[in-house]
Amino acid sequence: MKIEPVETKEYKEFVDKFKPKLTTDDCYTPEKVYAAVRDWAVEYYGLEGREIVRPFWPGGDYENHDYPAGCVVIDNPPFSIISKICRFYADNGIDYFLFAPALTLFSANLGNYLPEMAAVTYENGANVKTSFVTSLGDWKIDANADLYKVVTAANKESLKGRKAPKQLPKYSYPPNVLTSTMMQGIMHKGITYRVKAESVHFVRSLESQRKQKKVIFGSGFLLSEKAAAEKAAAEKAAAERWTLSDEEWAIVQSLE
């Protein structure tokens, strides 16, 4: 008689130690998602005629890759060294448009940011909120609703019934603070919000947080009064995107 092992909590934890972990450094991009992002970037930044380069693959060496003159790197790099990668491209005058981790997008003050907060299920099964960082464009922060729609539609096409990632809790900050998660509610309602570089100041934490040994998760930016007002207007527009009809208001008024 075959005896099956009793799957206790301890046994499961032991077995789990030997299972491959889904990390952001082996997030091989679904082809439909990559193609959608590439085509959007080419059109949005006017890259027609420039060679698109993908130097990131298992065992690839982006620092010694042969970059043709005038090329643009559009690829999904290892997220754990994305700051180093962006600095390498900046130092060598190579334009780039890179997938980036949404929740820690502002962790390093790099190029320009597209904080899309788009859910992408990668080929290894990892569900990652994804944004982008680029050397292209005039906007320091470009929470672009069109790109969010493009990525979301492509991801939906690639999912094949797989579960979407869990939503993380939201946090509240003063109006003059911008984090990479704040644009999610704006873009998801079709609102685009942009900020120029001269209107922001990079910060890792607020002074009030440092007193309690806290930080802004993923870092963020201080906004000028004008940029903060524009953010508030975008948030208000997003909040008002759906309204109640007179009949629905009548129902609400009738409720105890």
Side-chain angles (χ1 to χ4, degrees):
M1 182 176 64
K2 184 178 180 180
I3 301 176
E4 298 291 342
V6 178
E7 197 164 309
T8 63
K9 179 182 178 181
E10 291 76 13
Y11 176 79
K12 186 177 185 302
E13 290 176 350
F14 175 78
V15 172
D16 286 344
K17 289 180 181 180
F18 299 95
K19 292 181 179 179
K21 300 297 187 294
L22 302 182
T23 72
T24 55
D25 277 4
D26 57 1
C27 290
Y28 308 125
T29 314
E31 188 55 37
K32 290 182 179 178
V33 173
Y34 173 78
V37 170
R38 178 201 60 211
D39 293 348
W40 182 91
V42 168
E43 181 178 359
Y44 188 67
Y45 295 110
L47 304 177
E48 293 84 357
R50 297 180 64 177
E51 184 171 347
I52 306 302
V53 177
R54 297 189 70 179
F56 297 101
W57 65 84
D61 183 1
Y62 75 94
E63 291 177 303
N64 292 301
H65 188 84
D66 183 16
Y67 294 97
C71 71
V72 182
V73 176
I74 302 180
D75 207 353
N76 182 17
F79 287 174
S80 65
I81 58 169
I82 193 166
S83 297
K84 178 183 177 183
I85 292 167
C86 290
R87 292 190 182 98
F88 172 82
Y89 286 142
D91 291 344
N92 288 277
I94 300 171
D95 280 329
Y96 60 87
F97 187 91
L98 302 175
F99 288 64
L103 297 181
T104 56
L105 183 64
F106 295 160
S107 291
N109 195 8
L110 302 171
N112 299 329
Y113 302 98
L114 292 95
E116 300 307 303
M117 290 294 293
V120 176
T121 301
Y122 289 88
E123 292 293 352
N124 67 351
N127 294 307
V128 183
K129 287 287 188 180
T130 302
S131 292
F132 303 88
V133 62
T134 182
S135 62
L136 304 168
D138 298 325
W139 299 102
K140 181 67 175 180
I141 301 168
D142 185 359
N144 196 294
D146 289 337
L147 177 56
Y148 171 78
K149 292 177 183 176
V150 165
V151 176
T152 300
N155 185 62
K156 184 177 180 180
E157 190 70 21
S158 298
L159 274 175
K160 306 300 183 182
R162 286 179 283 181
K163 293 182 179 179
K166 295 181 180 179
Q167 296 294 321
L168 295 177
K170 298 180 180 179
Y171 300 93
S172 177
Y173 286 96
N176 291 82
V177 173
L178 182 69
T179 70
S180 62
T181 60
M182 288 182 179
M183 282 70 66
Q184 183 173 358
I186 297 174
M187 288 182 301
H188 290 195
K189 294 295 181 66
I191 306 296
T192 293
Y193 172 67
R194 299 185 175 106
V195 191
K196 291 282 190 179
E198 56 268 26
S199 299
V200 300
H201 177 78
F202 176 75
V203 291
R204 296 189 184 280
S205 63
L206 303 179
E207 185 175 346
S208 58
Q209 290 180 306
R210 292 194 289 273
K211 292 177 181 178
Q212 301 182 39
K213 297 183 179 180
K214 302 291 185 180
V215 298
I216 298 173
F217 183 76
S219 300
F221 290 92
L222 297 181
L223 296 175
S224 68
E225 291 291 352
K226 179 182 178 182
E230 291 172 346
K231 176 169 75 80
E235 289 171 337
K236 185 174 184 293
E240 293 179 348
R241 181 64 59 163
W242 302 110
T243 60
L244 297 180
S245 66
D246 291 341
E247 292 79 7
E248 289 165 337
W249 271 115
I251 294 172
V252 170
Q253 295 299 321
S254 69
L255 300 174
E256 295 183 359

